[in-house]
Amino acid sequence: NAGVTQTPKFRILKIGQSMTLQCTQDMNHNYMYWYRQDPGMGLKLIYYSVGAGITDKGEVPNGYNVSRSTTEDFPLRLELAAPSQTSVYFCASSYLLEGADGYTFGSGTRLTVV
Amino acid sequence: RKEVEQDPGPFNVPEGATVAFNCTYSNSASQSFFWYRQDCRKEPKLLMSVYSSGNEDGRFTAQLNRASQYISLLIRDSKLSDSATYLCVVNAPPNTGGFKTIFGAGTRLFVKA
């Protein structure tokens, strides 16, 4: 049972480039999330999804887009990368909304924008 | 005031020591509380939920104090493997106009031999 799988693990982007962070879960969870973690800060919610075809903004959505075409996949798209998007990104899923039963996180993507 | 506040530490303790962390939250209507553990350069993992009656899992005990709006985590007989960052997580009540899970910035613990 793989849980939540994220790719890539590391990436360096130049300012203005775009990329997609992939996230797949095999637990049949309806709820999926993208968080970013900056040094000394708590995780911040970027986007979340309550099911296939339904997504909504979190606390820090600017500069990002998501889609949810299947229950399993929840990719995060960065358009026109900026240095402020340098961060560690975690995808997560949960059985209950808002992780009331606990979140399962992927191993993270460490992104640097130069 | 931050919505969820933790002492960043680091806490440096010898093996076998007992150590306690507190986490304060600002929304008195918060309903769900959790402790997560995050190892260096790894993802957070659920350590335990915090119930109103408190709960214990082996060497770990979590407590909730609604009157003073804080949760605590007590680790007894610390092991080297307990070295990690401990994240406090608080869920706002439903129907508050949006998604509201708040992660604390974490408390770093170093257990030394």
Side-chain angles (χ1 to χ4, degrees), chain A residues 33 35 37 40-43 45 48 90 98-103 105-107 110, chain B residues 32 34 36 38 41-44 46 87 91-92 94 98-101 103-105:
Chain A
Y33 319 83
Y35 283 93
Q37 186 176 36
M41 308 284 287
L43 277 76
L45 182 66
Y48 69 101
F90 290 104
E98 299 181 26
D101 56 328
Y103 294 98
F105 285 91
S107 58
R110 196 167 293 270
Chain B
S32 304
F34 308 87
Y36 281 73
Q38 186 173 23
R41 300 177 77 85
K42 299 286 189 182
E43 73 273 22
L46 180 65
L87 309 180
N91 280 1
F99 187 100
K100 197 69 172 179
T101 293
F103 284 78

PDB file of all heavy atoms in Angstrom, chain A residues 33 35 37 40-43 45 48 90 98-103 105-107 110, chain B residues 32 34 36 38 41-44 46 87 91-92 94 98-101 103-105:
ATOM      1  N   TYR A  33      -5.331  17.428  -0.561  1.00  0.00           N
ATOM      2  CA  TYR A  33      -4.881  18.772  -0.196  1.00  0.00           C
ATOM      3  C   TYR A  33      -3.464  19.004  -0.714  1.00  0.00           C
ATOM      4  O   TYR A  33      -2.681  18.069  -0.813  1.00  0.00           O
ATOM      5  CB  TYR A  33      -4.844  18.927   1.339  1.00  0.00           C
ATOM      6  CG  TYR A  33      -6.014  18.306   2.071  1.00  0.00           C
ATOM      7  CD1 TYR A  33      -6.014  16.948   2.374  1.00  0.00           C
ATOM      8  CD2 TYR A  33      -7.110  19.071   2.461  1.00  0.00           C
ATOM      9  CE1 TYR A  33      -7.080  16.368   3.044  1.00  0.00           C
ATOM     10  CE2 TYR A  33      -8.184  18.495   3.131  1.00  0.00           C
ATOM     11  CZ  TYR A  33      -8.165  17.146   3.421  1.00  0.00           C
ATOM     12  OH  TYR A  33      -9.215  16.579   4.076  1.00  0.00           O
ATOM     13  N   TYR A  35      -0.299  21.455   0.530  1.00  0.00           N
ATOM     14  CA  TYR A  35       0.238  22.376   1.518  1.00  0.00           C
ATOM     15  C   TYR A  35       1.642  22.794   1.100  1.00  0.00           C
ATOM     16  O   TYR A  35       2.341  22.048   0.429  1.00  0.00           O
ATOM     17  CB  TYR A  35       0.339  21.714   2.895  1.00  0.00           C
ATOM     18  CG  TYR A  35      -0.967  21.587   3.645  1.00  0.00           C
ATOM     19  CD1 TYR A  35      -1.736  20.433   3.549  1.00  0.00           C
ATOM     20  CD2 TYR A  35      -1.414  22.611   4.470  1.00  0.00           C
ATOM     21  CE1 TYR A  35      -2.926  20.312   4.248  1.00  0.00           C
ATOM     22  CE2 TYR A  35      -2.610  22.505   5.177  1.00  0.00           C
ATOM     23  CZ  TYR A  35      -3.357  21.349   5.060  1.00  0.00           C
ATOM     24  OH  TYR A  35      -4.532  21.235   5.757  1.00  0.00           O
ATOM     25  N   GLN A  37       5.265  24.338   3.054  1.00  0.00           N
ATOM     26  CA  GLN A  37       5.896  24.514   4.360  1.00  0.00           C
ATOM     27  C   GLN A  37       7.157  25.345   4.185  1.00  0.00           C
ATOM     28  O   GLN A  37       8.081  24.937   3.479  1.00  0.00           O
ATOM     29  CB  GLN A  37       6.236  23.168   4.990  1.00  0.00           C
ATOM     30  CG  GLN A  37       6.767  23.285   6.420  1.00  0.00           C
ATOM     31  CD  GLN A  37       7.006  21.931   7.063  1.00  0.00           C
ATOM     32  OE1 GLN A  37       7.413  20.969   6.424  1.00  0.00           O
ATOM     33  NE2 GLN A  37       6.746  21.834   8.369  1.00  0.00           N
ATOM     34  N   GLY A  40      10.240  27.720   9.739  1.00  0.00           N
ATOM     35  CA  GLY A  40       9.721  28.464  10.880  1.00  0.00           C
ATOM     36  C   GLY A  40       8.235  28.775  10.823  1.00  0.00           C
ATOM     37  O   GLY A  40       7.722  29.510  11.669  1.00  0.00           O
ATOM     38  N   MET A  41       7.566  28.223   9.815  1.00  0.00           N
ATOM     39  CA  MET A  41       6.130  28.502   9.650  1.00  0.00           C
ATOM     40  C   MET A  41       5.359  27.193   9.678  1.00  0.00           C
ATOM     41  O   MET A  41       5.893  26.138   9.328  1.00  0.00           O
ATOM     42  CB  MET A  41       5.876  29.195   8.308  1.00  0.00           C
ATOM     43  CG  MET A  41       6.725  30.410   8.055  1.00  0.00           C
ATOM     44  SD  MET A  41       6.158  31.822   8.985  1.00  0.00           S
ATOM     45  CE  MET A  41       4.679  32.221   8.069  1.00  0.00           C
ATOM     46  N   GLY A  42       4.103  27.292  10.053  1.00  0.00           N
ATOM     47  CA  GLY A  42       3.227  26.130   9.945  1.00  0.00           C
ATOM     48  C   GLY A  42       2.874  25.865   8.495  1.00  0.00           C
ATOM     49  O   GLY A  42       3.011  26.730   7.642  1.00  0.00           O
ATOM     50  N   LEU A  43       2.410  24.661   8.224  1.00  0.00           N
ATOM     51  CA  LEU A  43       1.968  24.339   6.866  1.00  0.00           C
ATOM     52  C   LEU A  43       0.804  25.241   6.481  1.00  0.00           C
ATOM     53  O   LEU A  43      -0.101  25.507   7.275  1.00  0.00           O
ATOM     54  CB  LEU A  43       1.510  22.886   6.782  1.00  0.00           C
ATOM     55  CG  LEU A  43       2.604  21.841   6.576  1.00  0.00           C
ATOM     56  CD1 LEU A  43       3.375  21.591   7.854  1.00  0.00           C
ATOM     57  CD2 LEU A  43       1.996  20.532   6.073  1.00  0.00           C
ATOM     58  N   LEU A  45      -2.275  25.909   3.627  1.00  0.00           N
ATOM     59  CA  LEU A  45      -3.081  25.223   2.627  1.00  0.00           C
ATOM     60  C   LEU A  45      -3.136  26.030   1.344  1.00  0.00           C
ATOM     61  O   LEU A  45      -3.486  27.217   1.355  1.00  0.00           O
ATOM     62  CB  LEU A  45      -4.494  25.003   3.168  1.00  0.00           C
ATOM     63  CG  LEU A  45      -5.460  24.260   2.252  1.00  0.00           C
ATOM     64  CD1 LEU A  45      -4.997  22.820   2.051  1.00  0.00           C
ATOM     65  CD2 LEU A  45      -6.868  24.291   2.828  1.00  0.00           C
ATOM     66  N   TYR A  48      -7.505  22.557  -2.008  1.00  0.00           N
ATOM     67  CA  TYR A  48      -7.986  21.267  -1.571  1.00  0.00           C
ATOM     68  C   TYR A  48      -9.118  20.795  -2.485  1.00  0.00           C
ATOM     69  O   TYR A  48      -9.645  21.562  -3.303  1.00  0.00           O
ATOM     70  CB  TYR A  48      -8.445  21.283  -0.107  1.00  0.00           C
ATOM     71  CG  TYR A  48      -9.695  22.083   0.169  1.00  0.00           C
ATOM     72  CD1 TYR A  48     -10.926  21.458   0.335  1.00  0.00           C
ATOM     73  CD2 TYR A  48      -9.627  23.462   0.318  1.00  0.00           C
ATOM     74  CE1 TYR A  48     -12.077  22.188   0.617  1.00  0.00           C
ATOM     75  CE2 TYR A  48     -10.767  24.203   0.596  1.00  0.00           C
ATOM     76  CZ  TYR A  48     -11.980  23.555   0.754  1.00  0.00           C
ATOM     77  OH  TYR A  48     -13.108  24.288   1.039  1.00  0.00           O
ATOM     78  N   PHE A  90       3.777  19.659   0.177  1.00  0.00           N
ATOM     79  CA  PHE A  90       3.253  18.356   0.598  1.00  0.00           C
ATOM     80  C   PHE A  90       1.841  18.175   0.077  1.00  0.00           C
ATOM     81  O   PHE A  90       0.977  19.033   0.256  1.00  0.00           O
ATOM     82  CB  PHE A  90       3.223  18.240   2.128  1.00  0.00           C
ATOM     83  CG  PHE A  90       4.578  18.134   2.764  1.00  0.00           C
ATOM     84  CD1 PHE A  90       5.145  19.219   3.405  1.00  0.00           C
ATOM     85  CD2 PHE A  90       5.274  16.930   2.720  1.00  0.00           C
ATOM     86  CE1 PHE A  90       6.393  19.121   4.003  1.00  0.00           C
ATOM     87  CE2 PHE A  90       6.518  16.819   3.314  1.00  0.00           C
ATOM     88  CZ  PHE A  90       7.085  17.917   3.950  1.00  0.00           C
ATOM     89  N   GLU A  98     -11.130  17.842   6.384  1.00  0.00           N
ATOM     90  CA  GLU A  98     -10.272  18.591   7.301  1.00  0.00           C
ATOM     91  C   GLU A  98      -9.395  17.666   8.132  1.00  0.00           C
ATOM     92  O   GLU A  98      -8.936  18.029   9.208  1.00  0.00           O
ATOM     93  CB  GLU A  98     -11.098  19.501   8.212  1.00  0.00           C
ATOM     94  CG  GLU A  98     -11.885  20.540   7.455  1.00  0.00           C
ATOM     95  CD  GLU A  98     -12.682  21.447   8.367  1.00  0.00           C
ATOM     96  OE1 GLU A  98     -12.296  21.621   9.530  1.00  0.00           O
ATOM     97  OE2 GLU A  98     -13.702  21.964   7.915  1.00  0.00           O
ATOM     98  N   GLY A  99      -9.178  16.470   7.598  1.00  0.00           N
ATOM     99  CA  GLY A  99      -8.276  15.558   8.289  1.00  0.00           C
ATOM    100  C   GLY A  99      -8.728  15.227   9.686  1.00  0.00           C
ATOM    101  O   GLY A  99      -7.888  15.029  10.574  1.00  0.00           O
ATOM    102  N   ALA A 100     -10.020  15.158   9.897  1.00  0.00           N
ATOM    103  CA  ALA A 100     -10.544  14.877  11.231  1.00  0.00           C
ATOM    104  C   ALA A 100     -10.100  13.503  11.729  1.00  0.00           C
ATOM    105  O   ALA A 100     -10.100  13.239  12.927  1.00  0.00           O
ATOM    106  CB  ALA A 100     -12.062  14.986  11.241  1.00  0.00           C
ATOM    107  N   ASP A 101      -9.716  12.645  10.789  1.00  0.00           N
ATOM    108  CA  ASP A 101      -9.189  11.334  11.138  1.00  0.00           C
ATOM    109  C   ASP A 101      -7.670  11.299  10.964  1.00  0.00           C
ATOM    110  O   ASP A 101      -7.055  10.253  11.098  1.00  0.00           O
ATOM    111  CB  ASP A 101      -9.820  10.274  10.240  1.00  0.00           C
ATOM    112  CG  ASP A 101      -9.608  10.571   8.758  1.00  0.00           C
ATOM    113  OD1 ASP A 101      -9.543  11.764   8.381  1.00  0.00           O
ATOM    114  OD2 ASP A 101      -9.497   9.622   7.974  1.00  0.00           O
ATOM    115  N   GLY A 102      -7.095  12.451  10.677  1.00  0.00           N
ATOM    116  CA  GLY A 102      -5.664  12.508  10.437  1.00  0.00           C
ATOM    117  C   GLY A 102      -5.348  12.546   8.955  1.00  0.00           C
ATOM    118  O   GLY A 102      -6.042  11.934   8.153  1.00  0.00           O
ATOM    119  N   TYR A 103      -4.337  13.296   8.611  1.00  0.00           N
ATOM    120  CA  TYR A 103      -3.882  13.377   7.226  1.00  0.00           C
ATOM    121  C   TYR A 103      -2.810  12.329   6.966  1.00  0.00           C
ATOM    122  O   TYR A 103      -2.002  12.030   7.850  1.00  0.00           O
ATOM    123  CB  TYR A 103      -3.235  14.737   6.954  1.00  0.00           C
ATOM    124  CG  TYR A 103      -4.155  15.925   7.016  1.00  0.00           C
ATOM    125  CD1 TYR A 103      -4.223  16.709   8.171  1.00  0.00           C
ATOM    126  CD2 TYR A 103      -4.939  16.294   5.928  1.00  0.00           C
ATOM    127  CE1 TYR A 103      -5.045  17.810   8.234  1.00  0.00           C
ATOM    128  CE2 TYR A 103      -5.762  17.396   5.984  1.00  0.00           C
ATOM    129  CZ  TYR A 103      -5.803  18.153   7.143  1.00  0.00           C
ATOM    130  OH  TYR A 103      -6.625  19.245   7.199  1.00  0.00           O
ATOM    131  N   PHE A 105       0.328  12.206   4.510  1.00  0.00           N
ATOM    132  CA  PHE A 105       1.107  13.093   3.652  1.00  0.00           C
ATOM    133  C   PHE A 105       1.997  12.294   2.706  1.00  0.00           C
ATOM    134  O   PHE A 105       2.459  11.194   3.043  1.00  0.00           O
ATOM    135  CB  PHE A 105       2.007  13.996   4.503  1.00  0.00           C
ATOM    136  CG  PHE A 105       1.286  15.107   5.205  1.00  0.00           C
ATOM    137  CD1 PHE A 105       0.789  14.917   6.492  1.00  0.00           C
ATOM    138  CD2 PHE A 105       1.106  16.335   4.596  1.00  0.00           C
ATOM    139  CE1 PHE A 105       0.130  15.927   7.157  1.00  0.00           C
ATOM    140  CE2 PHE A 105       0.442  17.364   5.256  1.00  0.00           C
ATOM    141  CZ  PHE A 105      -0.055  17.160   6.534  1.00  0.00           C
ATOM    142  N   GLY A 106       2.235  12.892   1.551  1.00  0.00           N
ATOM    143  CA  GLY A 106       3.292  12.387   0.682  1.00  0.00           C
ATOM    144  C   GLY A 106       4.641  12.817   1.226  1.00  0.00           C
ATOM    145  O   GLY A 106       4.721  13.586   2.191  1.00  0.00           O
ATOM    146  N   SER A 107       5.701  12.347   0.589  1.00  0.00           N
ATOM    147  CA  SER A 107       7.049  12.592   1.107  1.00  0.00           C
ATOM    148  C   SER A 107       7.573  13.980   0.780  1.00  0.00           C
ATOM    149  O   SER A 107       8.643  14.356   1.240  1.00  0.00           O
ATOM    150  CB  SER A 107       8.011  11.532   0.562  1.00  0.00           C
ATOM    151  OG  SER A 107       7.997  11.557  -0.847  1.00  0.00           O
ATOM    152  N   ARG A 110      10.718  19.293  -2.776  1.00  0.00           N
ATOM    153  CA  ARG A 110      11.528  20.455  -2.367  1.00  0.00           C
ATOM    154  C   ARG A 110      11.806  21.271  -3.622  1.00  0.00           C
ATOM    155  O   ARG A 110      12.557  20.846  -4.483  1.00  0.00           O
ATOM    156  CB  ARG A 110      12.806  19.976  -1.702  1.00  0.00           C
ATOM    157  CG  ARG A 110      13.558  21.009  -0.914  1.00  0.00           C
ATOM    158  CD  ARG A 110      14.623  20.344  -0.045  1.00  0.00           C
ATOM    159  NE  ARG A 110      14.032  19.519   1.004  1.00  0.00           N
ATOM    160  CZ  ARG A 110      13.725  19.964   2.223  1.00  0.00           C
ATOM    161  NH1 ARG A 110      13.960  21.202   2.559  1.00  0.00           N
ATOM    162  NH2 ARG A 110      13.213  19.143   3.113  1.00  0.00           N
TER     163      ARG A 110
ATOM    164  N   SER B  32     -11.239  19.862  16.973  1.00  0.00           N
ATOM    165  CA  SER B  32     -10.364  18.696  16.818  1.00  0.00           C
ATOM    166  C   SER B  32      -8.925  19.131  17.004  1.00  0.00           C
ATOM    167  O   SER B  32      -8.525  20.198  16.536  1.00  0.00           O
ATOM    168  CB  SER B  32     -10.527  18.074  15.429  1.00  0.00           C
ATOM    169  OG  SER B  32     -11.854  17.747  15.173  1.00  0.00           O
ATOM    170  N   PHE B  34      -4.710  17.646  17.286  1.00  0.00           N
ATOM    171  CA  PHE B  34      -3.826  16.545  16.954  1.00  0.00           C
ATOM    172  C   PHE B  34      -2.387  16.928  17.240  1.00  0.00           C
ATOM    173  O   PHE B  34      -2.024  18.107  17.202  1.00  0.00           O
ATOM    174  CB  PHE B  34      -3.929  16.191  15.456  1.00  0.00           C
ATOM    175  CG  PHE B  34      -5.327  15.954  14.980  1.00  0.00           C
ATOM    176  CD1 PHE B  34      -6.106  17.005  14.540  1.00  0.00           C
ATOM    177  CD2 PHE B  34      -5.859  14.675  14.958  1.00  0.00           C
ATOM    178  CE1 PHE B  34      -7.398  16.806  14.098  1.00  0.00           C
ATOM    179  CE2 PHE B  34      -7.152  14.458  14.518  1.00  0.00           C
ATOM    180  CZ  PHE B  34      -7.918  15.521  14.095  1.00  0.00           C
ATOM    181  N   TYR B  36       1.281  15.890  15.464  1.00  0.00           N
ATOM    182  CA  TYR B  36       1.995  15.215  14.398  1.00  0.00           C
ATOM    183  C   TYR B  36       3.481  15.260  14.719  1.00  0.00           C
ATOM    184  O   TYR B  36       3.971  16.192  15.362  1.00  0.00           O
ATOM    185  CB  TYR B  36       1.765  15.917  13.049  1.00  0.00           C
ATOM    186  CG  TYR B  36       0.448  15.605  12.390  1.00  0.00           C
ATOM    187  CD1 TYR B  36      -0.745  16.135  12.882  1.00  0.00           C
ATOM    188  CD2 TYR B  36       0.386  14.783  11.264  1.00  0.00           C
ATOM    189  CE1 TYR B  36      -1.955  15.845  12.278  1.00  0.00           C
ATOM    190  CE2 TYR B  36      -0.827  14.495  10.647  1.00  0.00           C
ATOM    191  CZ  TYR B  36      -1.982  15.022  11.164  1.00  0.00           C
ATOM    192  OH  TYR B  36      -3.180  14.738  10.565  1.00  0.00           O
ATOM    193  N   GLN B  38       7.287  15.245  12.849  1.00  0.00           N
ATOM    194  CA  GLN B  38       7.960  15.434  11.561  1.00  0.00           C
ATOM    195  C   GLN B  38       9.464  15.273  11.761  1.00  0.00           C
ATOM    196  O   GLN B  38      10.089  16.066  12.473  1.00  0.00           O
ATOM    197  CB  GLN B  38       7.642  16.819  10.968  1.00  0.00           C
ATOM    198  CG  GLN B  38       8.193  17.001   9.568  1.00  0.00           C
ATOM    199  CD  GLN B  38       7.736  18.289   8.912  1.00  0.00           C
ATOM    200  OE1 GLN B  38       7.372  19.256   9.570  1.00  0.00           O
ATOM    201  NE2 GLN B  38       7.738  18.312   7.579  1.00  0.00           N
ATOM    202  N   ARG B  41      13.489  16.779   7.214  1.00  0.00           N
ATOM    203  CA  ARG B  41      13.361  16.623   5.772  1.00  0.00           C
ATOM    204  C   ARG B  41      12.392  15.480   5.383  1.00  0.00           C
ATOM    205  O   ARG B  41      12.521  14.881   4.312  1.00  0.00           O
ATOM    206  CB  ARG B  41      14.718  16.405   5.123  1.00  0.00           C
ATOM    207  CG  ARG B  41      15.675  17.576   5.381  1.00  0.00           C
ATOM    208  CD  ARG B  41      17.046  17.322   4.796  1.00  0.00           C
ATOM    209  NE  ARG B  41      17.072  17.517   3.355  1.00  0.00           N
ATOM    210  CZ  ARG B  41      17.254  18.689   2.760  1.00  0.00           C
ATOM    211  NH1 ARG B  41      17.419  19.782   3.491  1.00  0.00           N
ATOM    212  NH2 ARG B  41      17.278  18.785   1.450  1.00  0.00           N
ATOM    213  N   LYS B  42      11.436  15.220   6.253  1.00  0.00           N
ATOM    214  CA  LYS B  42      10.420  14.201   5.977  1.00  0.00           C
ATOM    215  C   LYS B  42       9.033  14.823   6.096  1.00  0.00           C
ATOM    216  O   LYS B  42       8.886  15.977   6.485  1.00  0.00           O
ATOM    217  CB  LYS B  42      10.539  13.040   6.970  1.00  0.00           C
ATOM    218  CG  LYS B  42      11.873  12.320   6.923  1.00  0.00           C
ATOM    219  CD  LYS B  42      11.986  11.460   5.688  1.00  0.00           C
ATOM    220  CE  LYS B  42      13.223  10.580   5.765  1.00  0.00           C
ATOM    221  NZ  LYS B  42      13.369   9.770   4.536  1.00  0.00           N
ATOM    222  N   GLU B  43       8.022  14.029   5.753  1.00  0.00           N
ATOM    223  CA  GLU B  43       6.658  14.505   5.865  1.00  0.00           C
ATOM    224  C   GLU B  43       6.141  14.374   7.289  1.00  0.00           C
ATOM    225  O   GLU B  43       6.599  13.517   8.053  1.00  0.00           O
ATOM    226  CB  GLU B  43       5.741  13.720   4.903  1.00  0.00           C
ATOM    227  CG  GLU B  43       5.441  12.279   5.308  1.00  0.00           C
ATOM    228  CD  GLU B  43       6.492  11.314   4.804  1.00  0.00           C
ATOM    229  OE1 GLU B  43       7.637  11.727   4.523  1.00  0.00           O
ATOM    230  OE2 GLU B  43       6.142  10.112   4.709  1.00  0.00           O
ATOM    231  N   PRO B  44       5.150  15.193   7.667  1.00  0.00           N
ATOM    232  CA  PRO B  44       4.513  15.024   8.978  1.00  0.00           C
ATOM    233  C   PRO B  44       3.753  13.699   9.025  1.00  0.00           C
ATOM    234  O   PRO B  44       3.180  13.260   8.033  1.00  0.00           O
ATOM    235  CB  PRO B  44       3.536  16.202   9.059  1.00  0.00           C
ATOM    236  CG  PRO B  44       3.979  17.168   8.019  1.00  0.00           C
ATOM    237  CD  PRO B  44       4.597  16.344   6.931  1.00  0.00           C
ATOM    238  N   LEU B  46       0.934  11.537  11.618  1.00  0.00           N
ATOM    239  CA  LEU B  46       0.047  11.648  12.772  1.00  0.00           C
ATOM    240  C   LEU B  46       0.612  10.856  13.944  1.00  0.00           C
ATOM    241  O   LEU B  46       0.884   9.655  13.835  1.00  0.00           O
ATOM    242  CB  LEU B  46      -1.340  11.128  12.405  1.00  0.00           C
ATOM    243  CG  LEU B  46      -2.377  11.180  13.516  1.00  0.00           C
ATOM    244  CD1 LEU B  46      -2.670  12.628  13.912  1.00  0.00           C
ATOM    245  CD2 LEU B  46      -3.665  10.480  13.074  1.00  0.00           C
ATOM    246  N   LEU B  87       4.415  18.849  15.719  1.00  0.00           N
ATOM    247  CA  LEU B  87       3.488  19.850  15.204  1.00  0.00           C
ATOM    248  C   LEU B  87       2.134  19.732  15.895  1.00  0.00           C
ATOM    249  O   LEU B  87       1.583  18.639  16.006  1.00  0.00           O
ATOM    250  CB  LEU B  87       3.269  19.666  13.694  1.00  0.00           C
ATOM    251  CG  LEU B  87       4.492  19.570  12.800  1.00  0.00           C
ATOM    252  CD1 LEU B  87       4.068  19.390  11.345  1.00  0.00           C
ATOM    253  CD2 LEU B  87       5.359  20.806  12.943  1.00  0.00           C
ATOM    254  N   ASN B  91      -8.292  22.041  14.380  1.00  0.00           N
ATOM    255  CA  ASN B  91      -9.360  22.218  13.386  1.00  0.00           C
ATOM    256  C   ASN B  91     -10.427  23.156  13.922  1.00  0.00           C
ATOM    257  O   ASN B  91     -10.935  22.948  15.022  1.00  0.00           O
ATOM    258  CB  ASN B  91     -10.013  20.878  13.047  1.00  0.00           C
ATOM    259  CG  ASN B  91      -9.203  20.078  12.051  1.00  0.00           C
ATOM    260  OD1 ASN B  91      -8.137  20.514  11.620  1.00  0.00           O
ATOM    261  ND2 ASN B  91      -9.689  18.919  11.699  1.00  0.00           N
ATOM    262  N   ALA B  92     -10.754  24.165  13.112  1.00  0.00           N
ATOM    263  CA  ALA B  92     -11.848  25.065  13.471  1.00  0.00           C
ATOM    264  C   ALA B  92     -13.158  24.309  13.325  1.00  0.00           C
ATOM    265  O   ALA B  92     -13.218  23.285  12.651  1.00  0.00           O
ATOM    266  CB  ALA B  92     -11.833  26.279  12.564  1.00  0.00           C
ATOM    267  N   PRO B  94     -16.939  23.260  12.064  1.00  0.00           N
ATOM    268  CA  PRO B  94     -17.542  23.305  10.731  1.00  0.00           C
ATOM    269  C   PRO B  94     -18.433  24.518  10.576  1.00  0.00           C
ATOM    270  O   PRO B  94     -18.738  25.212  11.552  1.00  0.00           O
ATOM    271  CB  PRO B  94     -18.353  22.009  10.672  1.00  0.00           C
ATOM    272  CG  PRO B  94     -18.646  21.685  12.105  1.00  0.00           C
ATOM    273  CD  PRO B  94     -17.463  22.177  12.885  1.00  0.00           C
ATOM    274  N   GLY B  98     -15.573  28.023   5.362  1.00  0.00           N
ATOM    275  CA  GLY B  98     -14.353  27.608   4.677  1.00  0.00           C
ATOM    276  C   GLY B  98     -13.565  26.608   5.476  1.00  0.00           C
ATOM    277  O   GLY B  98     -13.869  26.296   6.613  1.00  0.00           O
ATOM    278  N   PHE B  99     -12.551  26.139   4.834  1.00  0.00           N
ATOM    279  CA  PHE B  99     -11.696  25.103   5.368  1.00  0.00           C
ATOM    280  C   PHE B  99     -10.741  25.720   6.367  1.00  0.00           C
ATOM    281  O   PHE B  99     -10.138  26.740   6.093  1.00  0.00           O
ATOM    282  CB  PHE B  99     -10.929  24.523   4.173  1.00  0.00           C
ATOM    283  CG  PHE B  99     -10.111  23.340   4.485  1.00  0.00           C
ATOM    284  CD1 PHE B  99     -10.562  22.088   4.186  1.00  0.00           C
ATOM    285  CD2 PHE B  99      -8.866  23.494   5.052  1.00  0.00           C
ATOM    286  CE1 PHE B  99      -9.789  20.987   4.448  1.00  0.00           C
ATOM    287  CE2 PHE B  99      -8.085  22.401   5.319  1.00  0.00           C
ATOM    288  CZ  PHE B  99      -8.541  21.132   5.022  1.00  0.00           C
ATOM    289  N   LYS B 100     -10.588  25.139   7.545  1.00  0.00           N
ATOM    290  CA  LYS B 100      -9.736  25.771   8.541  1.00  0.00           C
ATOM    291  C   LYS B 100      -9.029  24.760   9.422  1.00  0.00           C
ATOM    292  O   LYS B 100      -9.445  24.507  10.548  1.00  0.00           O
ATOM    293  CB  LYS B 100     -10.579  26.715   9.395  1.00  0.00           C
ATOM    294  CG  LYS B 100      -9.772  27.726  10.174  1.00  0.00           C
ATOM    295  CD  LYS B 100      -9.112  28.754   9.284  1.00  0.00           C
ATOM    296  CE  LYS B 100      -8.482  29.870  10.100  1.00  0.00           C
ATOM    297  NZ  LYS B 100      -7.823  30.868   9.237  1.00  0.00           N
ATOM    298  N   THR B 101      -7.978  24.176   8.874  1.00  0.00           N
ATOM    299  CA  THR B 101      -7.074  23.389   9.703  1.00  0.00           C
ATOM    300  C   THR B 101      -5.821  24.211   9.871  1.00  0.00           C
ATOM    301  O   THR B 101      -5.264  24.689   8.889  1.00  0.00           O
ATOM    302  CB  THR B 101      -6.736  22.043   9.055  1.00  0.00           C
ATOM    303  OG1 THR B 101      -7.890  21.230   9.004  1.00  0.00           O
ATOM    304  CG2 THR B 101      -5.677  21.326   9.868  1.00  0.00           C
ATOM    305  N   PHE B 103      -1.945  24.542  11.290  1.00  0.00           N
ATOM    306  CA  PHE B 103      -0.750  23.849  11.765  1.00  0.00           C
ATOM    307  C   PHE B 103       0.123  24.821  12.548  1.00  0.00           C
ATOM    308  O   PHE B 103       0.397  25.931  12.087  1.00  0.00           O
ATOM    309  CB  PHE B 103       0.072  23.319  10.587  1.00  0.00           C
ATOM    310  CG  PHE B 103      -0.501  22.091   9.946  1.00  0.00           C
ATOM    311  CD1 PHE B 103      -1.577  22.171   9.078  1.00  0.00           C
ATOM    312  CD2 PHE B 103       0.052  20.843  10.205  1.00  0.00           C
ATOM    313  CE1 PHE B 103      -2.103  21.034   8.489  1.00  0.00           C
ATOM    314  CE2 PHE B 103      -0.463  19.708   9.607  1.00  0.00           C
ATOM    315  CZ  PHE B 103      -1.541  19.804   8.754  1.00  0.00           C
ATOM    316  N   GLY B 104       0.571  24.393  13.705  1.00  0.00           N
ATOM    317  CA  GLY B 104       1.585  25.152  14.399  1.00  0.00           C
ATOM    318  C   GLY B 104       2.927  25.017  13.687  1.00  0.00           C
ATOM    319  O   GLY B 104       3.110  24.110  12.860  1.00  0.00           O
ATOM    320  N   ALA B 105       3.863  25.905  14.013  1.00  0.00           N
ATOM    321  CA  ALA B 105       5.172  25.885  13.364  1.00  0.00           C
ATOM    322  C   ALA B 105       6.063  24.762  13.891  1.00  0.00           C
ATOM    323  O   ALA B 105       7.079  24.443  13.283  1.00  0.00           O
ATOM    324  CB  ALA B 105       5.862  27.227  13.528  1.00  0.00           C
TER     325      ALA B 105
END
